[in-house]
Amino acid sequence: MQPLFLYNTLSRKKEEFKALNPPYVGMYVCGPTVYSDVHLGNCRTFISFDIIYRYLSHLGYKVRYVRNITDAGHLESDGDVGEDKISKKAKLNQLEPMEIVQTYTVDFRKVMEQFNALPPTIEPTATGHIIEQQEIAREIINKGLAYEVNGTVYFDVEKFAQSHNYTALTGRKLEELLENTRDLDGQQDKRGRLDFALWIKAKPEHLMQWSSEWGKGFPGWHIECSAMSTKYLGEQFDIHGGGMDLQATHHTNEIAQNIAYCGKQPCNYWLHTNMLTVSGQKMSKSLGNSFLPHELFSGKHPLLDKGYGPMAVRFFMMQTHYRSTLDFSNEALQASEKGFERLMESYQTLQNLTPGATSGEDIKALENKCYEAMNDDFNTPVLIAHLFDAARIINSVNDKKVSLIQADIVLLKKMYQNFLFDVMGLKVEAENTKTTEVLDKVIHLVLDLRNKAKAEKNFSLSDEIRDKLTNSGVQVKDTKEGSSWKI
Ligand code: AMP
Ligand code: ZN
């Protein structure tokens, strides 16, 4: 196996991947807060990690992939102020918080399935791990790095920073952070401006609350990920991922909690996906520039020219490296749709290639390049460029401009299967498959009629059928084995 290199946010370097916990690779990805529909930006992050999961599995690693569902504790602002997003929505709609959670969890899973993203191997919820979160908070208090005031437990950031690098993930200076955080954000009980809540005292009207030794309350947002990652992957695991917007607060606090709790960095590699943007601005619900997957599939959105299939959208997500921003536009989507169709057409052509006596192209070298691209921090845009090269070769062989021996045709088929379908997770759209099947039957029916005309020496009719097919964009090829067609 060629060495796999990952760009690690913590070290800001590319490092050779070494699995910490054989026999499995532990990967934790921060999941959605299930209080509303996931937008396309969220999907970009989850699809990026789906590809990483798929590639690690393809390389032969057994991956324990944990992606949580945030169903409690995520307040409107990351700074522990505002209402719990799920409780707020429940009140607004006069529903049980768990009805909100259920609706959007089901919706999220459906969207992931539409994008052909594989389910994680464990999908734990914050509400299912209250005991574990309390246990971590208690232990951090025991270690002297958290304190309780009036039923809320705060993490003491400045005390932690005396012996640890609190800002390791972002490389920012603590003094700078302190300067930029001017007040206590309305939380007068906090000792330090940067302190964050591990456990929050609930007002009587707060819908989701649990008993604890500090009184009735609910967990802070960051502690759920420390609790669930440790529970299912151990105190140290391999990969932790999420969107770049989680780096500065959520993941920085998660590292601090884990170190305070058990003295260990939670993971060996931090991977952060960059943002999907619209005209250069982060796609986000609060900015009002978000697109929902179903709006994209149906084309029902004022800024969309038409609808796009989930696979074309998935393909669009891979056009830039996961660490770079990706800008959303009609033009970019159309180009991706065309590119995706071109690859799928070449896959069809590949099924009917006739082998030659020699090979005019080095297919093994091309396959190696695909691996090199993915081993270079999962570089999907470079992988796609190599697959377009493969498509070009397939078309040249089909046009008899170059020949390939049988073994190379088999290798190309394996490359498509491995990279296009298994790793990139693309598939022939169900609708397209059905249409193609029906079209194939209809064209063969026409070709049978033409053959009948030929057999009856009615050459003017057989030529007319052929010309009319050509004019409709159907190219017919007659060989000793029979007739084939392509568009
Ligand atoms: P949330 O439900 O808001 O916690 O978001 C779920 C995931 O989507 C997190 O990993 C976020 O970092 C990620 N995310 C949010 N907005 C975007 C965006 N515009 N582009 C890419 N990822 C995003
Ligand atoms: Zn998280």
PDB file of all heavy atoms in Angstrom, residues 23-39:
ATOM      1  N   PRO A  23      -7.306  -3.105  15.640  1.00  0.00           N
ATOM      2  CA  PRO A  23      -7.579  -3.430  14.249  1.00  0.00           C
ATOM      3  C   PRO A  23      -8.551  -2.465  13.568  1.00  0.00           C
ATOM      4  O   PRO A  23      -8.925  -2.722  12.438  1.00  0.00           O
ATOM      5  CB  PRO A  23      -8.217  -4.826  14.359  1.00  0.00           C
ATOM      6  CG  PRO A  23      -8.941  -4.772  15.656  1.00  0.00           C
ATOM      7  CD  PRO A  23      -8.124  -3.882  16.558  1.00  0.00           C
ATOM      8  N   TYR A  24      -8.969  -1.389  14.207  1.00  0.00           N
ATOM      9  CA  TYR A  24      -9.869  -0.501  13.483  1.00  0.00           C
ATOM     10  C   TYR A  24      -9.368   0.930  13.526  1.00  0.00           C
ATOM     11  O   TYR A  24      -8.629   1.322  14.429  1.00  0.00           O
ATOM     12  CB  TYR A  24     -11.306  -0.587  14.040  1.00  0.00           C
ATOM     13  CG  TYR A  24     -11.481   0.003  15.426  1.00  0.00           C
ATOM     14  CD1 TYR A  24     -11.710   1.364  15.593  1.00  0.00           C
ATOM     15  CD2 TYR A  24     -11.424  -0.797  16.562  1.00  0.00           C
ATOM     16  CE1 TYR A  24     -11.867   1.924  16.855  1.00  0.00           C
ATOM     17  CE2 TYR A  24     -11.577  -0.242  17.833  1.00  0.00           C
ATOM     18  CZ  TYR A  24     -11.795   1.111  17.971  1.00  0.00           C
ATOM     19  OH  TYR A  24     -11.950   1.670  19.217  1.00  0.00           O
ATOM     20  N   VAL A  25      -9.775   1.696  12.516  1.00  0.00           N
ATOM     21  CA  VAL A  25      -9.490   3.118  12.502  1.00  0.00           C
ATOM     22  C   VAL A  25     -10.692   3.803  13.148  1.00  0.00           C
ATOM     23  O   VAL A  25     -11.826   3.549  12.778  1.00  0.00           O
ATOM     24  CB  VAL A  25      -9.337   3.619  11.045  1.00  0.00           C
ATOM     25  CG1 VAL A  25      -9.395   5.136  10.971  1.00  0.00           C
ATOM     26  CG2 VAL A  25      -8.026   3.111  10.453  1.00  0.00           C
ATOM     27  N   GLY A  26     -10.438   4.643  14.133  1.00  0.00           N
ATOM     28  CA  GLY A  26     -11.538   5.354  14.792  1.00  0.00           C
ATOM     29  C   GLY A  26     -11.704   6.728  14.170  1.00  0.00           C
ATOM     30  O   GLY A  26     -10.756   7.502  14.098  1.00  0.00           O
ATOM     31  N   MET A  27     -12.915   7.011  13.686  1.00  0.00           N
ATOM     32  CA  MET A  27     -13.155   8.330  13.085  1.00  0.00           C
ATOM     33  C   MET A  27     -14.421   8.925  13.694  1.00  0.00           C
ATOM     34  O   MET A  27     -15.475   8.303  13.683  1.00  0.00           O
ATOM     35  CB  MET A  27     -13.305   8.188  11.570  1.00  0.00           C
ATOM     36  CG  MET A  27     -13.586   9.517  10.888  1.00  0.00           C
ATOM     37  SD  MET A  27     -13.242   9.493   9.134  1.00  0.00           S
ATOM     38  CE  MET A  27     -14.864   9.214   8.458  1.00  0.00           C
ATOM     39  N   TYR A  28     -14.279  10.129  14.226  1.00  0.00           N
ATOM     40  CA  TYR A  28     -15.437  10.824  14.823  1.00  0.00           C
ATOM     41  C   TYR A  28     -15.713  12.091  14.022  1.00  0.00           C
ATOM     42  O   TYR A  28     -14.810  12.893  13.782  1.00  0.00           O
ATOM     43  CB  TYR A  28     -15.141  11.202  16.280  1.00  0.00           C
ATOM     44  CG  TYR A  28     -16.344  11.761  16.998  1.00  0.00           C
ATOM     45  CD1 TYR A  28     -17.222  10.924  17.684  1.00  0.00           C
ATOM     46  CD2 TYR A  28     -16.625  13.123  16.973  1.00  0.00           C
ATOM     47  CE1 TYR A  28     -18.348  11.434  18.335  1.00  0.00           C
ATOM     48  CE2 TYR A  28     -17.749  13.646  17.625  1.00  0.00           C
ATOM     49  CZ  TYR A  28     -18.602  12.781  18.303  1.00  0.00           C
ATOM     50  OH  TYR A  28     -19.710  13.285  18.934  1.00  0.00           O
ATOM     51  N   VAL A  29     -16.960  12.255  13.605  1.00  0.00           N
ATOM     52  CA  VAL A  29     -17.347  13.456  12.868  1.00  0.00           C
ATOM     53  C   VAL A  29     -18.527  14.108  13.584  1.00  0.00           C
ATOM     54  O   VAL A  29     -19.499  13.430  13.929  1.00  0.00           O
ATOM     55  CB  VAL A  29     -17.727  13.108  11.402  1.00  0.00           C
ATOM     56  CG1 VAL A  29     -18.288  14.325  10.686  1.00  0.00           C
ATOM     57  CG2 VAL A  29     -16.517  12.571  10.648  1.00  0.00           C
ATOM     58  N   CYS A  30     -18.418  15.419  13.822  1.00  0.00           N
ATOM     59  CA  CYS A  30     -19.515  16.138  14.471  1.00  0.00           C
ATOM     60  C   CYS A  30     -20.727  16.142  13.546  1.00  0.00           C
ATOM     61  O   CYS A  30     -20.633  16.584  12.398  1.00  0.00           O
ATOM     62  CB  CYS A  30     -19.101  17.571  14.787  1.00  0.00           C
ATOM     63  SG  CYS A  30     -17.856  17.610  16.068  1.00  0.00           S
ATOM     64  N   GLY A  31     -21.827  15.668  14.069  1.00  0.00           N
ATOM     65  CA  GLY A  31     -23.035  15.534  13.246  1.00  0.00           C
ATOM     66  C   GLY A  31     -23.920  16.767  13.318  1.00  0.00           C
ATOM     67  O   GLY A  31     -23.543  17.783  13.916  1.00  0.00           O
ATOM     68  N   PRO A  32     -25.101  16.676  12.730  1.00  0.00           N
ATOM     69  CA  PRO A  32     -25.966  17.860  12.653  1.00  0.00           C
ATOM     70  C   PRO A  32     -26.720  18.128  13.954  1.00  0.00           C
ATOM     71  O   PRO A  32     -26.947  17.221  14.742  1.00  0.00           O
ATOM     72  CB  PRO A  32     -26.965  17.459  11.562  1.00  0.00           C
ATOM     73  CG  PRO A  32     -27.076  15.974  11.717  1.00  0.00           C
ATOM     74  CD  PRO A  32     -25.721  15.480  12.128  1.00  0.00           C
ATOM     75  N   THR A  33     -27.081  19.405  14.134  1.00  0.00           N
ATOM     76  CA  THR A  33     -28.015  19.763  15.193  1.00  0.00           C
ATOM     77  C   THR A  33     -29.399  19.641  14.567  1.00  0.00           C
ATOM     78  O   THR A  33     -29.705  20.348  13.594  1.00  0.00           O
ATOM     79  CB  THR A  33     -27.763  21.213  15.662  1.00  0.00           C
ATOM     80  OG1 THR A  33     -26.378  21.311  16.009  1.00  0.00           O
ATOM     81  CG2 THR A  33     -28.605  21.547  16.875  1.00  0.00           C
ATOM     82  N   VAL A  34     -30.210  18.719  15.089  1.00  0.00           N
ATOM     83  CA  VAL A  34     -31.443  18.372  14.373  1.00  0.00           C
ATOM     84  C   VAL A  34     -32.626  19.253  14.792  1.00  0.00           C
ATOM     85  O   VAL A  34     -33.594  18.785  15.366  1.00  0.00           O
ATOM     86  CB  VAL A  34     -31.760  16.862  14.536  1.00  0.00           C
ATOM     87  CG1 VAL A  34     -30.895  16.033  13.615  1.00  0.00           C
ATOM     88  CG2 VAL A  34     -31.572  16.406  15.980  1.00  0.00           C
ATOM     89  N   TYR A  35     -32.509  20.537  14.457  1.00  0.00           N
ATOM     90  CA  TYR A  35     -33.611  21.465  14.768  1.00  0.00           C
ATOM     91  C   TYR A  35     -34.186  22.064  13.492  1.00  0.00           C
ATOM     92  O   TYR A  35     -35.154  22.810  13.527  1.00  0.00           O
ATOM     93  CB  TYR A  35     -33.136  22.581  15.708  1.00  0.00           C
ATOM     94  CG  TYR A  35     -32.311  23.650  15.029  1.00  0.00           C
ATOM     95  CD1 TYR A  35     -32.834  24.918  14.789  1.00  0.00           C
ATOM     96  CD2 TYR A  35     -31.027  23.376  14.597  1.00  0.00           C
ATOM     97  CE1 TYR A  35     -32.080  25.891  14.146  1.00  0.00           C
ATOM     98  CE2 TYR A  35     -30.277  24.338  13.961  1.00  0.00           C
ATOM     99  CZ  TYR A  35     -30.800  25.591  13.727  1.00  0.00           C
ATOM    100  OH  TYR A  35     -30.053  26.539  13.083  1.00  0.00           O
ATOM    101  N   SER A  36     -33.526  21.767  12.344  1.00  0.00           N
ATOM    102  CA  SER A  36     -34.042  22.261  11.058  1.00  0.00           C
ATOM    103  C   SER A  36     -33.445  21.394   9.949  1.00  0.00           C
ATOM    104  O   SER A  36     -32.576  20.546  10.210  1.00  0.00           O
ATOM    105  CB  SER A  36     -33.655  23.722  10.846  1.00  0.00           C
ATOM    106  OG  SER A  36     -32.264  23.809  10.688  1.00  0.00           O
ATOM    107  N   ASP A  37     -33.904  21.650   8.704  1.00  0.00           N
ATOM    108  CA  ASP A  37     -33.375  20.884   7.564  1.00  0.00           C
ATOM    109  C   ASP A  37     -31.881  21.133   7.406  1.00  0.00           C
ATOM    110  O   ASP A  37     -31.421  22.252   7.621  1.00  0.00           O
ATOM    111  CB  ASP A  37     -34.027  21.378   6.260  1.00  0.00           C
ATOM    112  CG  ASP A  37     -35.508  21.124   6.236  1.00  0.00           C
ATOM    113  OD1 ASP A  37     -35.902  19.974   6.413  1.00  0.00           O
ATOM    114  OD2 ASP A  37     -36.265  22.108   6.047  1.00  0.00           O
ATOM    115  N   VAL A  38     -31.143  20.108   6.996  1.00  0.00           N
ATOM    116  CA  VAL A  38     -29.735  20.353   6.664  1.00  0.00           C
ATOM    117  C   VAL A  38     -29.687  21.092   5.334  1.00  0.00           C
ATOM    118  O   VAL A  38     -30.483  20.821   4.435  1.00  0.00           O
ATOM    119  CB  VAL A  38     -28.897  19.051   6.544  1.00  0.00           C
ATOM    120  CG1 VAL A  38     -28.488  18.529   7.889  1.00  0.00           C
ATOM    121  CG2 VAL A  38     -29.594  17.995   5.721  1.00  0.00           C
ATOM    122  N   HIS A  39     -28.801  22.063   5.214  1.00  0.00           N
ATOM    123  CA  HIS A  39     -28.653  22.748   3.925  1.00  0.00           C
ATOM    124  C   HIS A  39     -27.470  22.143   3.180  1.00  0.00           C
ATOM    125  O   HIS A  39     -26.761  21.269   3.698  1.00  0.00           O
ATOM    126  CB  HIS A  39     -28.564  24.257   4.108  1.00  0.00           C
ATOM    127  CG  HIS A  39     -27.417  24.726   4.969  1.00  0.00           C
ATOM    128  ND1 HIS A  39     -26.098  24.577   4.616  1.00  0.00           N
ATOM    129  CD2 HIS A  39     -27.409  25.351   6.174  1.00  0.00           C
ATOM    130  CE1 HIS A  39     -25.318  25.094   5.540  1.00  0.00           C
ATOM    131  NE2 HIS A  39     -26.091  25.562   6.512  1.00  0.00           N
TER     132      HIS A  39
END
